[in-house]
Amino acid sequence: MSVTDQLVKSNRDYAAAFTDPGMDARPVLHVAVVACMDARLDLHAALGLELGDCHTIRNAGGVVTDDVIRSLTISQHKLGTRSIVLIHHTNCGLEQITEDFRTELEMEVGQRPAWAVESFRDVDQDVRQSMQRVRTSPFLLHTDDVRGFVFDVKTGLLREIDPA
């Protein structure tokens, strides 16, 4: 049985006991969380969140890309979020690679990716850059409550990053 088959089987078990929670797509806490896709981050548990509390946007590094801005814009304009929490973490895989990864891919597959890797060496500075990208986006309605953090994968604690 493949991993996907296992997931589909688990979904059937889940659906057998599922009851519609009666929620809509608007997050109860009016917050969007942007975080890394790293499998070690259990965001709901780490932040004390329940189903329906927030919008969660995840990608490699938790980087604020054009697509993240797209999702945040929809979240704010159409679904009522007002606060944005950015979470990067210690020991991130993006600290281990460089933008040369794009060249490696080009050599391997014959086409250069249009996207940037967004690798970094200083996680604190990367959080500051992400906060700046959110705060300066012309598409976002609410940029006054944007806070950035580094999640320590060894302790589970968040450390807030000063945007200055």
Side-chain angles (χ1 to χ4, degrees):
M1 180 182 287
S2 74
V3 172
T4 303
D5 291 334
Q6 291 173 14
L7 296 175
V8 170
K9 180 186 178 306
S10 293
N11 173 256
R12 287 189 190 111
D13 296 341
Y14 171 80
F18 184 79
T19 55
D20 180 358
M23 300 178 199
D24 68 15
R26 295 175 182 272
V28 173
L29 299 178
H30 307 287
V31 64
V33 178
V34 178
C36 185
M37 66 185 190
D38 193 296
R40 295 171 291 181
L41 277 65
D42 183 350
L43 292 174
H44 276 75
L47 301 173
L49 295 168
E50 299 293 331
L51 182 67
D53 282 347
C54 73
H55 283 159
T56 306
I57 304 161
R58 295 181 79 156
N59 66 20
V63 177
V64 176
T65 61
D66 287 345
D67 193 58
V68 169
I69 293 294
R70 178 186 71 87
S71 293
L72 289 172
T73 300
I74 293 166
S75 179
Q76 286 191 350
H77 283 262
K78 298 299 182 184
L79 298 166
T81 59
R82 299 185 60 85
S83 300
I84 299 171
V85 174
L86 306 172
I87 301 178
H88 293 160
H89 65 91
T90 58
N91 198 23
C92 183
L94 283 185
E95 293 175 288
Q96 310 306 316
I97 62 176
T98 68
E99 293 298 320
D100 291 338
F101 179 61
R102 294 172 69 217
T103 303
E104 293 168 19
L105 284 173
E106 182 178 18
M107 298 301 290
E108 183 179 325
V109 303
Q111 182 176 342
R112 187 171 185 84
W115 39 263
V117 175
E118 298 275 358
S119 61
F120 58 89
R121 294 286 173 257
D122 181 339
V123 67
D124 291 17
Q125 185 55 36
D126 201 57
V127 172
R128 285 186 197 96
Q129 175 178 286
S130 289
M131 285 190 283
Q132 183 65 16
R133 287 178 177 175
V134 168
R135 288 189 172 126
T136 59
S137 173
F139 305 110
L140 297 175
L141 297 170
H142 308 287
T143 58
D144 53 319
D145 189 13
V146 177
R147 293 172 65 184
F149 300 85
V150 173
F151 177 86
D152 188 313
V153 297
K154 299 287 187 206
T155 67
L157 289 173
L158 289 176
R159 178 173 50 82
E160 188 158 10
I161 300 302
D162 184 348

